[in-house]
């Protein structure tokens, strides 16, 4: 029997250690003025000891606590991450073990900064199938471990953190529209964690383990292609931008948001930003922002608001969901 899915709880967790732009200026040739004016970022949280699964497990525990349910009641856990603790077991399997969610199947989604939207869309389909009632969707990253800390053009942009939602079955439709896309032919403008063949039977390859980015190409992709996709998704939903209460976009760079707001035709005030505090936390950025908006009282979680979530990044990938929340 078909069912509907709804987001019933939200939570986030970030490592305690805060690194300011001035802290970075002590170890590389940069300045608070350069970073803040080009990106909006002023601080980021960087993990000392906690792994991606540690951050995600903290979010999972909060979600269970808020919903007053036990881990046994979960049917699935999906973690979106591009910085897993290991390729195997998955980060989600580690979270499943940490919270003792004995009845849940668990796996990771890798779609860089679009990962949370892709994972949420996947979880919605599980619940819509009628076979599953409850699952956690978590975006969690320790991007700091993938950065070349001698490269000022990328090291200043990112931070660590996690956020997530509890997805539950509902009698009413909450997911109104979605669109997702990938253009693998442009994958080279944003890469990280390349691995190489190393067997005695293989030819040696030269690979780049650290995060690499063509900043200008990514800026153009986000402002041109993703803005167009968001406009098309809104039009396909039968809504007009004015009917959408909040636009929660991936937090890469404040100038990207400014330009996207103009291109989509929405008031910038409807597009909250928190990259000044966290930097770009990749798959975690949207759920951290959502959780903060709920904490601030801007989003009520009472089924009265329409919000648009949009992630975009490595792949290249992009994904937009419009949900009642
Ligand atoms: N501090 C000081 N100077 C710097 C720094 C730094 N941290 N980084 C670069 N510079 C210098 C460069 O060396 C260059 O100097 P030069 O002119 O002497 O060669 C100068 O600043 C300009 O460099 P550009 O790379 O051209 O700077 P630009 O104005 O394009 O800004 C930025 C770079 C902010 C990354 C921009 O391209 C951008 O906004 N890109 C969007 C991509 C993004 O934010 N990606 C995040 C990850 S992807 C995602 O999440 C979707």
């Amino acid at each position: 029997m078909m069912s509907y899915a709804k987001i019933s709880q939200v939570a986030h967790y970030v490592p305690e250690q805060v690194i300011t732009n001035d802290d970075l200026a002590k170890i590389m040739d940069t300045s608070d003025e350069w970073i803040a004016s080009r990106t909006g970022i002023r601080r980021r949280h960087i993990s000392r000891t906690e792994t991606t699964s540690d951050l995600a497990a903290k979010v999972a525990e909060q979600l269970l606590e808020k919903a007053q349910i036990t881990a046994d009641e979960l049917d699935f856990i999906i973690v979106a991450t591009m910085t897993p603790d290991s390729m195997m077991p998955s980060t989600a399997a580690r979270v499943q073990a940490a919270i003792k969610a004995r009845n849940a199947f668990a796996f990771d989604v890798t779609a860089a900064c679009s990962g949370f939207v892709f994972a949420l869309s996947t979880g919605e389909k599980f619940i819509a199938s009628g076979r599953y009632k409850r699952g956690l969707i978590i975006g969690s990253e320790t991007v700091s471990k993938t950065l070349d800390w001698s490269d000022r053009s990328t090291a200043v942009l990112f931070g660590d953190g996690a956020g997530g939602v509890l997805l539950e079955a509902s009698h009413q439709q909450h997911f109104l529209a979605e669109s997702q896309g990938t253009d693998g032919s442009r994958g080279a403008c944003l890469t990280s964690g390349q691995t190489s063949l190393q067997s005695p039977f293989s030819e040696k390859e030269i690979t780049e383990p650290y995060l690499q980015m063509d900043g200008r190409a990514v800026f153009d992709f986000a402002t041109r292609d993703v803005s167009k996709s968001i406009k098309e998704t809104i039009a396909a939903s039968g809504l007009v931008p004015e009917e959408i209460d909040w636009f929660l976009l991936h937090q890469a760079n404040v100038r990207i948001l400014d330009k996207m707001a103009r291109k989509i035709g929405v008031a910038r005030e409807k597009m909250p930003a928190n990259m000044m505090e966290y930097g770009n936390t990749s798959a975690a950025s949207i759920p951290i922002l959502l959780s903060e908006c709920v904490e601030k009282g801007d989003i009520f979680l009472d089924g009265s608001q329409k919000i648009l979530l949009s992630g975009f990044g490595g792949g290249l990938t992009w994904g937009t969901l419009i949900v009642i929340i």
Side-chain angles (χ1 to χ4, degrees):
M1 197 183 70
M2 293 291 284
S3 172
Y4 294 113
K6 76 163 183 183
I7 294 170
S8 58
Q9 299 292 341
V10 302
H12 72 281
Y13 175 83
V14 293
E16 197 181 338
Q17 177 173 241
V18 174
I19 302 295
T20 64
N21 292 346
D22 287 334
D23 293 329
L24 291 180
K26 290 180 196 143
I27 60 166
M28 62 184 79
D29 183 14
T30 190
S31 65
D32 178 50
E33 199 284 325
W34 193 97
I35 302 170
S37 65
R38 304 282 176 125
T39 71
I41 298 165
R42 294 202 170 267
R43 289 172 290 279
R44 72 283 295 141
H45 294 241
I46 301 287
S47 177
R48 272 182 200 279
T49 57
E50 292 165 305
T51 65
T52 296
S53 68
D54 292 334
L55 304 183
K58 288 265 174 32
V59 170
E61 282 161 5
Q62 282 186 54
L63 290 168
L64 296 177
E65 172 71 27
K66 287 182 178 189
Q68 288 290 295
I69 59 169
T70 66
D72 282 342
E73 294 175 75
L74 293 173
D75 297 318
F76 59 87
I77 300 169
I78 309 177
V79 174
T81 186
M82 62 168 196
T83 52
D85 299 12
S86 55
M87 294 311 294
M88 184 173 70
S90 68
T91 305
R94 290 171 185 269
V95 173
Q96 190 255 10
I99 65 169
K100 300 188 177 60
R102 281 169 283 251
N103 302 315
F105 62 91
F107 61 95
D108 290 357
V109 163
T110 305
C113 308
S114 309
F116 180 76
V117 169
F118 282 24
L120 187 55
S121 167
T122 305
E124 188 250 337
K125 307 300 176 294
F126 283 134
I127 291 189
S129 75
R131 292 200 184 92
Y132 308 103
K133 296 263 171 286
R134 267 193 204 99
L136 301 183
I137 313 295
I138 299 171
S140 186
E141 303 279 15
T142 45
V143 187
S144 60
K145 71 185 180 188
T146 67
L147 299 172
D148 174 356
W149 286 93
S150 66
D151 175 11
R152 66 179 182 175
S153 69
T154 51
V156 304
L157 301 176
F158 296 90
D160 301 336
V165 303
L166 172 67
L167 209 54
E168 294 193 276
S170 163
H171 296 299
Q172 282 164 345
Q173 187 176 7
H174 288 75
F175 283 68
L176 303 180
E178 73 168 53
S179 72
Q180 295 169 100
T182 297
D183 180 0
S185 72
R186 285 192 279 171
C189 37
L190 206 42
T191 65
S192 169
Q194 291 180 23
T195 54
S196 52
L197 296 171
Q198 54 78 42
S199 88
F201 313 104
S202 311
E203 286 182 26
K204 280 214 166 27
E205 294 175 292
I206 298 169
T207 52
E208 174 53 67
Y210 296 119
L211 190 147
Q212 301 278 309
M213 181 182 76
D214 178 344
R216 202 53 64 85
V218 175
F219 191 94
D220 289 347
F221 156 68
T223 53
R224 192 182 305 145
D225 303 342
V226 182
S227 299
K228 181 166 172 277
S229 166
I230 289 174
K231 280 176 84 166
E232 288 168 359
T233 312
I234 296 170
S237 74
L239 297 167
V240 291
E242 292 71 32
E243 292 175 282
I244 296 172
D245 296 280
W246 296 104
F247 292 73
L248 305 190
L249 270 52
H250 170 52
Q251 302 289 296
N253 182 314
V254 77
R255 292 189 312 169
I256 290 182
L257 293 191
D258 293 344
K259 194 155 182 186
M260 287 179 81
R262 284 199 300 277
K263 289 220 166 176
I264 299 165
V266 298
R268 183 61 179 74
E269 296 69 44
K270 281 186 163 190
M271 217 178 249
N274 67 0
M275 80 286 285
M276 44 293 263
E277 176 63 31
Y278 302 111
N280 178 345
T281 56
S282 185
S285 85
I286 294 173
I288 292 174
L289 184 65
L290 172 61
S291 175
E292 282 201 333
C293 286
V294 172
E295 276 182 2
K296 274 192 207 148
D298 290 337
I299 293 181
F300 314 130
L301 279 187
D302 65 353
S304 68
Q305 293 166 301
K306 294 187 188 71
I307 65 166
L308 181 146
L309 311 173
S310 186
F312 43 87
L316 297 176
T317 54
W318 60 96
T320 297
L321 292 169
I322 302 175
V323 298
I324 295 176
I325 192 164

